[in-house]
């Protein structure tokens, strides 16, 4: 996903500031697609210049709120329907696993224990988000159903990685 299309998609939900957009990214996508404030603000400037978003308001301390334009909505829909999906996953823990043979067994065991905890904790965080969405805390609008689907992917991904780390730790202890 490009940050550009992620921002357009989030703005399709409703107007938001750069800060609000960073919060929305962090809510469900933070562990898999981080979006830092400087990159968000730079991309918002490019989207504004391209006519894909427009300034809705400017508040105190220069806080700007943006909304997607018809052209921006058409662009995110084009991206969703016409562009091939990039299935590349850059998962550093898996790259590191290729070189586990360079670690001594004790260090590797400690590392894998930490990885399993991180992955389990992250899956639990996604479960809490899912529970809030399932209770209806976030409404039933189509964009919220899509968020729930995305959250479920996070649960399943991090559960699988936690299971992998547990399995790898058992392999290391043989």
């Amino acid at each position: 996903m490009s940050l550009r299309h992620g921002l357009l998609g989030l703005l399709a939900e409703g107007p938001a500031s750069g800060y609000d957009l960073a919060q929305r990214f962090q809510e469900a996508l933070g562990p898999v697609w981080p979006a830092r404030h400087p990159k968000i603000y730079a991309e918002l400037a490019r989207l504004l210049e391209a006519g894909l978003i427009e300034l809705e308001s400017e508040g105190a301390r220069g806080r700007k709120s943006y909304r997607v334009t018809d052209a921006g909505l058409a662009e995110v829909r084009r991206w969703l329907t016409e562009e091939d999906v990039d299935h590349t996953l850059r998962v550093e823990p898996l790259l590191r696993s290729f070189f586990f043979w360079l670690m001594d067994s004790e260090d590797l065991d400690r590392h894998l224990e930490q990885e399993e905890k991180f992955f389990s904790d992250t899956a639990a965080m996604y479960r809490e988000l899912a529970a809030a969405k399932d209770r209806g805390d976030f409404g039933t609008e189509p964009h919220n159903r899509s968020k729930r689907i995305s959250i479920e992917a996070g649960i399943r991904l991090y559960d699988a990685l936690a299971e992998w780390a547990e399995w790898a730790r058992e392999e290391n202890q043989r």
Side-chain angles (χ1 to χ4, degrees):
M1 173 178 93
S2 73
L3 178 57
R4 165 173 284 236
H5 294 101
L7 291 171
L8 289 171
L10 288 174
L11 287 169
E13 294 176 22
S17 68
Y19 178 83
D20 295 333
L21 292 165
Q23 295 301 109
R24 288 182 191 172
F25 259 98
Q26 185 57 36
E27 177 189 78
L29 298 172
V32 294
W33 193 271
R36 308 278 185 252
H37 288 266
K39 288 189 177 196
I40 287 174
Y41 289 112
E43 189 59 41
L44 286 170
R46 287 188 285 273
L47 289 167
L48 194 59
E49 185 177 315
L52 299 175
I53 64 171
E54 59 191 11
L55 191 61
E56 182 189 63
S57 64
E58 192 166 348
R61 296 178 303 224
R63 181 182 169 116
K64 297 176 183 174
S65 182
Y66 303 91
R67 70 173 156 254
V68 71
T69 62
D70 289 342
L73 197 53
E75 171 55 23
V76 75
R77 286 181 172 145
R78 184 204 61 76
W79 171 72
L80 286 166
T81 59
E82 296 176 18
E83 280 192 29
D84 290 338
V85 175
D86 178 359
H87 288 97
T88 304
L89 294 177
R90 292 185 183 112
V91 183
E92 186 175 332
L94 300 185
L95 174 62
R96 286 176 177 236
S97 73
F98 199 73
F99 304 106
F100 281 172
W101 62 274
L102 295 168
M103 297 173 75
D104 68 43
S105 184
E106 203 173 282
D107 288 339
L108 179 55
D109 186 66
R110 191 171 31 261
H111 170 75
L112 289 168
E113 182 178 24
Q114 291 169 348
E115 289 294 275
E116 183 181 354
K117 180 177 180 351
F118 172 82
F119 296 137
S120 295
D121 289 350
T122 304
M125 179 270 302
Y126 276 116
R127 279 191 186 82
E128 288 175 22
L129 279 174
K133 293 225 181 281
D134 291 346
R135 284 191 310 269
D137 293 358
F138 295 91
T140 58
E141 296 86 359
H143 66 269
N144 285 316
R145 285 194 300 272
S146 292
K147 284 180 189 175
R148 179 60 179 92
I149 290 168
S150 179
I151 289 167
E152 185 64 28
I155 292 168
R156 292 174 187 221
L157 175 66
Y158 282 98
D159 275 345
L161 287 169
E163 289 175 23
W164 165 79
E166 179 183 22
W167 171 85
R169 192 168 177 218
E170 290 170 4
E171 284 293 306
N172 180 52
Q173 294 173 352
R174 283 185 187 200

